[in-house]
Amino acid sequence: MNVFEEVKKALCKANPGLDESKVVPSALLKDDLDIDSLDLVEIAMSLEDVFNLTLPEDEMENITTVGDIVSVIEARLKVKSG
Amino acid sequence: MANRVVVTGYGAVTPLGLNVKDTWRNLIAGVSGVGYISLFDTTDFKVKIAAEVKDFDPAVHLDPTTARRNDRFAQLALVAGMQAIDAAGLKVDDANKYDIGVLIGSGVGGLDSLAQQLDILKTRGPSRVSPFLVPMMIADSASSQVSIKMGIRGPNFGLISACATGTDVLGVAYRLIKWGEIKAVVVGGADAAVTPVGLAGFAQAGALSRNSEPQKASRPFDMERDGFVVGEGAAVLVLESLDYAKSRGANIIAEIIGYGATSDAFHITQPLENGEAAAKAIELALAGVEPDEVGYINAHGTSTPLNDASETKAIKKAFGDKAYEIPISSVKSMLGHMMGAAGAIEAIVCCKVINEGVIPPTVNLEHPDPECDLDYVPNVARKADVRIAISNSFGFGGHNSVVAIGRYDGQ
């Protein structure tokens, strides 16, 4: 499963009006994509289901870009498999 | 110095139409908005009927994010609120944004959102509960969302008094404007209780009609009435001080001329049988108005055996023999009971009656009840020249609220 593609899907589901082309790793969640803290909780919940893992709240707090979400998931996946 | 308070616009989403125009047209034609419930599966339910808002697609009226993040009750309120503000030609800008408030009440708030998340809590645990649950379920979310959408920075609150909510919001807004606390208020009520737990709750409380013919079930003042029909929807008005309305050249629809509120102090679901506290609310609303001048009473008229009898007594107590000469009608016979929105849509109906000279009927009035022997405008709309109308709203909990609305005289 491509982590970035799944993250993109979850972001677009949270913000239905979102222009997909704006979803790039460097995009700022709040300023570029209009995704607020409540959306982020929902996005985290849906990604936890997709990847079957838990995303710790303290790590989610530091997320500001799309790339940050991808990194956190990739790190958790490594921990799971390693 | 008391300000005069006027209505400059309104909007509504009801079981008889997605706007006031369609709703009014259907009311005058005696059309019923009651039918079999389509919003959920009623297989195990004793009561299978309700007055639903038909064909409401939030995506048509609201942007996707707003639609997604709001319970149905707030979605309905937003649409009605936008209609009202548009109809009033009220432009919110930096000069006036703190001079306008929002006061939209609800009986049960985001009940369905709460019910859905309770299911998730039970089956999937707390970490799967939606982060949007709280903002969606709290009963003030309708009021807040209108404030957010329209950039209105004056005070905004929800107000809760069960079935009297829609009249109490008008009374409170009237007083705020009258006493110069604020220039204008976007005011109304909304409820969307046609949900499994909502229907179950009202049915178990013994409040609902068990009539198997949906369109005959809501029959206020009729001998065979057996309970109300749950309705849903939203109705919003713009109230402002006469001076403010004139200063911006607003079109003035009607004037709020009085408001009275009392409590039965009796029982949480049953009204006080002799109607004496309700009669007092009528008298308070009519302070400064001769009872003779009232040309129409929009009844609470829920079609419950108890309300319709006690309301009749209250009207007789307040008006004496004159009660027999005043046309009375209950639009709940067609709209069902729109709960928190009822008082607000009924105030809009009073404005229409005053301006269009037609009184909507009480439909399904086929078997006279000796306890309800007043003129309830049975079955057919009636032309009438009405200068002053009152609207009664009586709620679970013993609320008695009455608003008096008058023709604006051009001064």
Side-chain angles (χ1 to χ4, degrees):
Chain A
M1 237 186 301
N2 183 313
V3 176
F4 177 75
E5 284 307 316
E6 291 300 329
V7 169
K8 189 168 168 184
K9 253 196 238 164
L11 288 170
C12 290
K13 193 161 150 229
N15 186 348
L18 187 52
D19 176 3
E20 269 194 43
S21 63
K22 282 188 172 179
V23 184
V24 294
S26 60
L28 288 164
L29 294 175
K30 191 156 175 296
D31 297 335
D32 296 333
L33 306 180
D34 206 19
I35 294 216
D36 70 15
S37 60
L38 294 175
D39 289 319
L40 191 52
V41 173
E42 207 173 57
I43 290 163
M45 274 167 43
S46 104
L47 289 169
E48 284 180 334
D49 287 343
V50 166
F51 291 105
N52 194 19
L53 46 64
T54 314
L55 295 170
E57 268 175 26
D58 52 354
E59 281 177 51
M60 294 306 291
E61 264 163 39
N62 298 319
I63 285 178
T64 50
T65 67
V66 175
D68 289 343
I69 304 178
V70 175
S71 307
V72 169
I73 295 175
E74 281 174 348
R76 300 299 294 173
L77 283 171
K78 258 213 192 91
V79 166
K80 240 180 79 164
S81 61
Chain B
M1 243 300 277
N3 295 308
R4 288 170 64 182
V5 182
V6 294
V7 178
T8 54
Y10 40 59
V13 183
T14 80
L16 284 178
L18 300 179
N19 54 60
V20 171
K21 186 152 164 257
D22 292 345
T23 300
W24 176 248
R25 191 190 62 240
N26 283 318
L27 284 172
I28 293 304
V31 174
S32 172
V34 182
Y36 287 104
I37 291 171
S38 71
L39 290 171
F40 62 90
D41 178 359
T42 59
T43 304
D44 293 330
F45 286 70
K46 291 182 212 166
V47 176
K48 301 177 191 288
I49 62 174
E52 294 178 336
V53 172
K54 289 117 188 108
D55 303 322
F56 178 71
D57 180 0
V60 166
H61 311 274
L62 302 167
D63 65 87
T65 302
T66 304
R68 237 187 102 238
R69 290 165 72 141
N70 278 291
D71 183 272
R72 184 172 167 94
F73 97 99
Q75 292 172 348
L76 295 167
L78 270 163
V79 175
M82 294 191 301
Q83 287 176 7
I85 290 168
D86 191 52
L90 183 63
K91 302 271 176 288
V92 182
D93 56 31
D94 282 339
N96 68 7
K97 63 189 178 188
Y98 285 98
D99 293 327
I100 306 169
V102 188
L103 181 51
I104 297 183
S106 178
V108 299
L111 181 65
D112 198 44
S113 298
L114 176 59
Q116 288 183 36
Q117 293 303 316
L118 279 169
D119 247 353
I120 289 177
L121 175 65
K122 260 214 180 81
T123 56
R124 304 184 61 201
S127 64
R128 281 290 167 274
V129 168
S130 168
F132 298 107
L133 164 60
V134 172
M136 281 171 79
M137 62 151 265
I138 50 180
D140 64 307
S141 60
S143 195
S144 306
Q145 292 287 356
V146 169
S147 156
I148 291 167
K149 181 133 186 83
M150 308 307 298
I152 292 174
R153 289 199 177 188
N156 101 72
F157 337 77
L159 178 151
I160 307 183
S161 52
C163 330
T165 295
T167 295
D168 283 328
V169 282
L170 289 168
V172 172
Y174 164 64
R175 285 176 175 170
L176 285 172
I177 297 170
K178 182 175 180 182
W179 300 114
E181 304 274 345
I182 195 136
K183 291 200 171 101
V185 185
V186 177
V187 50
D191 259 309
V194 182
T195 73
V197 71
L199 259 294
F202 282 113
Q204 292 293 98
L208 302 184
S209 169
R210 302 297 168 101
N211 197 316
S212 57
E213 272 187 84
Q215 306 216 320
K216 293 277 181 199
S218 185
R219 45 200 311 114
F221 307 109
D222 185 271
M223 188 75 200
E224 302 193 350
R225 63 190 187 275
D226 71 330
F228 70 83
V229 172
V230 178
E232 58 164 358
V236 177
L237 300 85
V238 176
L239 261 52
E240 44 193 300
S241 75
L242 179 59
D243 287 344
Y244 188 61
K246 279 179 169 173
S247 75
R248 63 180 197 88
N251 173 43
I252 293 169
I253 293 171
E255 183 169 356
I256 308 292
I257 59 175
Y259 165 67
T262 63
S263 305
D264 281 347
F266 175 63
H267 190 276
I268 194 69
T269 55
Q270 292 173 29
L272 191 56
E273 204 201 307
N274 64 13
E276 66 186 20
K280 183 145 176 87
I282 295 174
E283 285 156 28
L284 289 169
L286 290 176
V289 174
E290 283 304 313
D292 273 11
E293 298 177 73
V294 175
Y296 170 58
I297 300 175
N298 182 288
H300 184 56
T302 47
S303 184
T304 63
L306 292 178
N307 172 79
D308 296 357
S310 63
E311 179 166 14
T312 296
K313 290 205 178 84
I315 292 170
K316 288 178 181 176
K317 244 195 175 75
F319 290 95
D321 285 334
K322 188 67 170 67
Y324 287 89
E325 295 168 38
I326 307 175
I328 302 163
S329 71
S330 168
V331 292
K332 290 189 178 75
S333 60
M334 295 173 274
L335 290 168
H337 190 343
M338 287 168 62
M339 314 263 148
I345 189 66
E346 288 161 18
I348 293 173
V349 166
C350 287
C351 293
K352 289 298 243 179
V353 167
I354 286 167
N355 288 323
E356 308 218 353
V358 188
I359 294 174
T362 306
V363 301
N364 297 323
L365 193 39
E366 292 161 3
H367 313 94
D369 175 356
E371 282 208 316
C372 300
D373 59 346
L374 299 174
D375 173 11
Y376 306 104
V377 189
N379 305 309
V380 177
R382 183 190 304 171
K383 282 201 163 83
D385 181 27
V386 174
R387 260 194 57 251
I388 293 177
I390 64 167
S391 173
N392 298 338
S393 289
F394 307 133
F396 272 9
H399 309 275
N400 304 303
S401 304
V402 180
V403 69
I405 300 175
R407 183 177 295 159
Y408 174 60
D409 56 12
Q411 301 304 315

